Amino acid sequence: KAGVTQTPRYLIKTRGQQVTLSCSPISGHRSVSWYQQTPGQGLQFLFEYFSETQRNKGNFPGRFSGRQFSNSRSEMNVSTLELGDSALYLCASSSSGTGAPLHFGNGTRLTVT
Amino acid sequence: AQRVTQPEKLLSVFKGAPVELKCNYSYSGSPELFWYVQYSRQRLQLLLRHISRESIKGFTADLNKGETSFHLKKPFAQEEDSAMYYCALSVSGGGADGLTFGKGTHLIIQP
């Protein structure tokens, strides 16, 4: 099976802009989670979607949002970008979400200037 | 809120020596604990989880609820074990609720 695919791999945006990141889970996986990784804070949970519904959300401002489509592909959107949003954004999928291990993508490296 | 602490940012040991990567957690309930590993230029991947009670690549980890620890151990380190290791906690199984990660330990195995 193909692994979790994230696009694009790299992004450079300017403060105030918005950005959309995409994640294609492993075929058959219905749960998609998003994480932010920074040198200072490490890996932090953003949110999780299962069957097009957000089931869990981390402690991030409303500028961070996401959605999941009927084919389980997911997008994450960040509006009004701030310099502190520069990070590696990781997507992970699992088969059921509960009790199943996470499979991570390679991430999207976002740089905000 | 739950927390995971990995006290060592960097751990360097010689090949053939024992390895122990420390992980302590704080959570009042019964969490599920994981170790994830990231080898150079590879994606983050699951190494093992405490409910499986298995040994992966020679690594084992025992959940000690009294000490709230989940240390990762290997009796004889190999050069291919060099990687970033992350301890993670889930409060409802699997991690879809959102894993809480430690900051990671960079393990370097010297020849």
Side-chain angles (χ1 to χ4, degrees), chain A residues 15 26 46 51 54-56 66 68-69 91 98 107:
Chain A
R15 269 183 304 175
I26 290 172
L46 281 155
S51 294
Q54 186 182 88
R55 291 197 302 189
N56 296 284
Q68 187 180 33
F69 302 96
C91 168
T98 300

Side-chain angles (χ1 to χ4, degrees), chain A residues 35-112:
Chain A
Y35 288 81
Q36 182 195 66
Q37 186 176 28
T38 59
Q41 299 300 317
L43 281 151
Q44 293 184 286
F45 172 69
L46 281 155
F47 30 65
E48 185 257 352
Y49 287 85
F50 183 84
S51 294
E52 302 178 66
T53 300
Q54 186 182 88
R55 291 197 302 189
N56 296 284
K57 189 176 191 306
N59 190 25
F60 277 80
R63 300 185 297 107
F64 292 81
S65 63
R67 58 178 175 169
Q68 187 180 33
F69 302 96
S70 58
N71 62 359
S72 293
R73 190 177 69 85
S74 177
E75 288 183 346
M76 191 192 97
N77 186 76
V78 188
S79 62
T80 320
L81 284 166
E82 302 177 359
L83 294 178
D85 297 333
S86 294
L88 180 67
Y89 290 88
L90 292 171
C91 168
S93 74
S94 68
S95 55
S96 66
T98 300
L102 299 182
H103 298 262
F104 283 87
N106 283 318
T108 294
R109 172 75 62 185
L110 172 65
T111 301
V112 182

Side-chain angles (χ1 to χ4, degrees), chain B:
Chain B
Q2 58 270 25
R3 178 178 290 183
V4 175
T5 303
Q6 293 179 251
E8 304 132 332
K9 292 181 74 171
L10 175 67
L11 183 63
S12 179
V13 301
F14 286 101
K15 177 182 170 182
V19 173
E20 182 178 47
L21 289 83
K22 291 183 169 51
C23 172
N24 290 90
Y25 67 90
S26 62
Y27 179 63
S28 56
S30 294
E32 185 172 358
L33 275 296
F34 305 81
W35 278 99
Y36 278 81
V37 61
Q38 187 166 28
Y39 301 103
S40 178
R41 287 186 289 278
Q42 292 187 29
R43 59 188 67 194
L44 192 61
Q45 59 186 285
L46 177 67
L47 180 61
L48 53 81
R49 54 199 299 190
H50 88 269
I51 62 171
S52 299
R53 294 184 163 273
E54 56 190 347
S55 174
I56 304 292
K57 299 185 178 183
F59 284 98
T60 59
D62 291 316
L63 179 60
N64 186 322
K65 291 186 178 181
E67 296 183 358
T68 59
S69 68
F70 188 56
H71 303 328
L72 183 67
K73 300 177 184 180
K74 184 169 183 176
F76 306 104
Q78 298 172 293
E79 289 186 67
E80 54 264 34
D81 296 329
S82 295
M84 278 295 296
Y85 290 81
Y86 296 92
C87 183
L89 177 155
S90 168
V91 301
S92 68
D97 56 305
L99 289 173
T100 299
F101 282 90
K103 293 286 181 70
T105 297
H106 186 188
L107 177 64
I108 297 174
I109 307 301
Q110 299 191 48

